[in-house]
Amino acid sequence: MTALASDDRLPAALRGTLALPVIAAPLFIVSGPDLVIAQCLSGIVGSFPALNARPAELLDTWLTRITTTLAVARAAEPTRTIAPFAVNQIVHASNDRLARDVAACVTHQVPIVITSLRAPDDVVRPIHGYGGVVFHDVTTVRHAEKALEAGVDGLILVCAGAGGHAGTLSPFALLGEVRRFYDGPIILSGAITTGGAILAAQAMGADLAYMGTRFIATAEANAADTYKTMIAGSAAADILYTPFFTGVPGNYLSPSIRAAGLDPDSLPQVDKSAMNFGSSRVKAWRDVWGAGQGVGTIEDAPPVAELVERLKREYAAARTRLGAAAYSAA
């Protein structure tokens, strides 16, 4: 499928390997080998947080399974569009697994590493050492500048409305400002759940769309059925933006907060000192569920392959619709 944005800005690993210009975001608990493999085989980048593999030794098993499965599929069908995969690394002092998990990515030569929270100065060099690519999550212009100073290969703009640790800036504002000083790969996040929204991200100047919440409600996602049902039954008004659960502001489903015995309207205030991503930390809020404001467009939980085919049809229809409506200024 021909994309609006030129492939010239994308790293070599992504050129000609995508059926849609999409990276599936790494999802806490939800993303595992089944979901990642299904995403890649459908032609979009699949990803998972390294910390989802618990205990730490399980990460090597996951990486072996994913790389082997994709390699076998490529050998069996050389003309099939099979995307590379990515691993998310939390770059924070409390993540006592970071060095070990980065070493595992180096051993398995993970094609793409997605870094989050802090500028990934210590991660870029080992990943670049084998030819890997580093994309970094940012929510502000200053974060983008610091990531570029660290030598990353692309920026993921996590804008208002995105699930997880989202920012507060409109995608129009953040993308516009970043493009004033950066002409490299940009991946855009923020309530992108349809093929039309993928096209809109490109029309705004992004190269790829970053989609998370839409893939929680899929058959292969490691999410409770009640989680998937809650997403399908929710709307944007059900999303609460709060730092209470991790110390970093993020978007969560209010019904899941109530189910945990808390009042979404009166959560205590916390600050960044509460951040903790240590491997031994007890996840007290694992049943408080993250989601983005795009939940109101999600009504089902199909297999990934079926969902991606739907997104491709929506993407093509949006291009046709815009083409028919185009006009030349006098």
Side-chain angles (χ1 to χ4, degrees):
M1 177 175 292
T2 302
L4 282 182
S6 172
D7 275 356
D8 293 345
R9 279 200 298 249
L10 296 178
L14 288 170
R15 296 177 193 165
T17 64
L18 302 178
L20 269 177
V22 170
I23 293 178
L27 303 164
F28 173 60
I29 297 179
V30 171
S31 298
D34 289 344
L35 183 59
V36 170
I37 290 168
Q39 290 164 336
C40 294
L41 292 180
S42 296
I44 65 171
V45 175
S47 71
F48 70 94
L51 292 175
N52 276 8
R54 294 174 184 271
E57 293 76 14
L58 188 60
L59 180 59
D60 181 75
T61 302
W62 282 17
L63 292 174
T64 298
R65 179 184 168 198
I66 292 168
T67 54
T68 300
T69 301
L70 297 182
V72 169
R74 291 187 181 105
E77 301 180 75
T79 61
R80 182 175 178 179
T81 300
I82 299 175
F85 74 100
V87 173
N88 173 225
Q89 300 285 3
I90 302 297
V91 185
H92 189 265
S94 67
N95 180 9
D96 52 6
R97 281 181 43 173
L98 181 61
R100 176 179 184 149
D101 289 351
V102 169
C105 288
V106 172
T107 297
H108 290 270
Q109 298 195 0
V110 171
I112 302 167
V113 171
I114 296 170
T115 50
S116 305
L117 288 185
R118 298 285 177 85
D121 303 76
D122 297 333
V123 176
V124 171
R125 181 175 296 179
I127 302 305
H128 281 178
Y130 63 84
V133 172
V134 179
F135 292 150
H136 187 67
D137 285 349
V138 303
T139 58
T140 69
V141 169
R142 182 57 187 142
H143 291 160
E145 292 170 339
K146 291 174 69 174
L148 293 174
E149 290 168 3
V152 302
D153 302 287
L155 299 173
I156 300 171
L157 309 188
V158 188
C159 300
H165 296 138
T168 58
L169 291 176
S170 159
F172 290 96
L174 185 55
L175 180 55
E177 291 196 31
V178 171
R179 273 288 180 232
R180 296 180 70 178
F181 61 84
Y182 178 62
D183 63 359
I186 287 181
I187 303 96
L188 187 65
S189 174
I192 299 175
T193 61
T194 66
I198 296 168
L199 185 65
Q202 290 184 300
M204 291 167 59
D207 300 285
L208 303 171
Y210 201 53
M211 301 178 67
T213 302
R214 175 60 272 200
F215 286 98
I216 299 172
T218 56
E220 293 88 348
N222 182 35
D225 288 341
T226 47
Y227 189 178
K228 299 177 185 181
T229 299
M230 188 177 293
I231 285 178
S234 295
D238 296 308
I239 302 302
L240 178 69
Y241 187 68
T242 176
F244 177 73
F245 299 103
T246 66
V248 182
N251 282 316
Y252 300 89
L253 287 161
S254 291
S256 73
I257 297 173
R258 293 190 187 92
L262 299 171
D263 181 357
D265 297 321
S266 60
L267 294 176
Q269 293 296 313
V270 298
D271 58 34
K272 288 187 176 181
S273 65
M275 279 195 289
N276 187 344
F277 297 91
S279 61
S280 61
R281 184 188 180 212
V282 175
K283 300 298 180 181
W285 307 114
R286 64 175 293 139
D287 293 325
V288 172
W289 295 324
Q293 293 176 359
V295 289
T297 64
I298 300 172
E299 298 178 342
D300 59 359
V304 167
E306 180 181 322
L307 173 59
V308 172
E309 286 302 313
R310 181 192 305 170
L311 293 171
K312 288 163 65 176
R313 292 192 301 270
E314 293 171 349
Y315 181 87
R319 293 190 64 173
T320 299
R321 184 170 63 251
L322 290 182
Y327 67 93
S328 297

